[in-house]
Amino acid sequence: MSNEIRPFRIDVPQADLDDLADRLTRTRLPQPVPGDDWEYGVPNHYLAEMVAHWRTAFDWRAQEEQINAYPQYRTDLDGATVHFVHAKATGKGIPLLLTHGWPSTFAEFAGVVAALADPGAHGADPADAFDVVVPSLPGYGFSAEPVEVG
């Protein structure tokens, strides 16, 4: 492992997406509990809608394109490969680290990164620009899973 910063671009193989679509098509839901509401967990009707959405409506390639609009990298920190977005300020910027919680991903910040790094292009004062860094926590997004405790 090396602490070298390596450029990264999301490019999920089509075979993986096809496999996911196939597995979603074969999803068998359990018998719903009486009432099929949230009292005993995720209701079957809601889960069925989610499966259908992921199978027929979710556009992974559009998501890749949106996320790949930002410069992304990977590096090794304390034995773990960490993925991160680094959007440099358009001017002299203050470093800003945005971290997600559980369960979440770096992608939740996609809607604000551009405005923080280039506020002038979004109707704000260009002097308020930030050098934005958004890491994926280990085991999330495109960071590697931890291999040891600690």
Side-chain angles (χ1 to χ4, degrees):
M1 290 197 169
S2 155
N3 62 357
E4 170 189 353
I5 295 176
R6 304 172 301 276
F8 180 79
R9 183 170 175 78
I10 300 168
D11 185 19
V12 174
Q14 187 60 44
D16 291 355
L17 298 177
D18 293 343
D19 176 61
L20 175 60
D22 181 56
R23 286 184 285 135
L24 289 170
T25 299
R26 291 183 289 113
T27 298
R28 294 183 343 202
L29 298 176
Q31 185 68 28
V33 298
D36 195 29
D37 60 24
W38 290 95
E39 186 174 349
Y40 296 107
V42 178
N44 272 31
H45 71 274
Y46 181 82
L47 190 54
E49 289 172 19
M50 287 183 60
V51 169
H53 173 78
W54 278 92
R55 195 180 81 243
T56 63
F58 187 80
D59 185 347
W60 176 255
R61 295 299 180 208
Q63 295 301 310
E64 275 185 340
E65 184 178 333
Q66 178 187 7
I67 295 168
N68 281 334
Y70 299 101
Q72 298 171 73
Y73 305 90
R74 291 177 92 187
T75 191
D76 299 316
L77 300 173
D78 293 333
T81 299
V82 177
H83 161 266
F84 63 98
V85 169
H86 183 198
K88 294 184 180 183
T90 53
K92 184 177 179 182
I94 298 169
L96 178 64
L97 180 67
L98 301 175
T99 59
H100 63 83
W102 179 90
S104 185
T105 76
F106 73 99
E108 289 198 17
F109 293 109
V112 298
V113 170
L116 291 167
D118 186 6
H122 296 84
D125 187 344
D128 292 336
F130 292 93
D131 274 326
V132 183
V133 177
V134 186
S136 294
L137 295 177
Y140 290 86
F142 296 92
S143 289
E145 294 178 2
V147 294
E148 60 186 45
V149 176

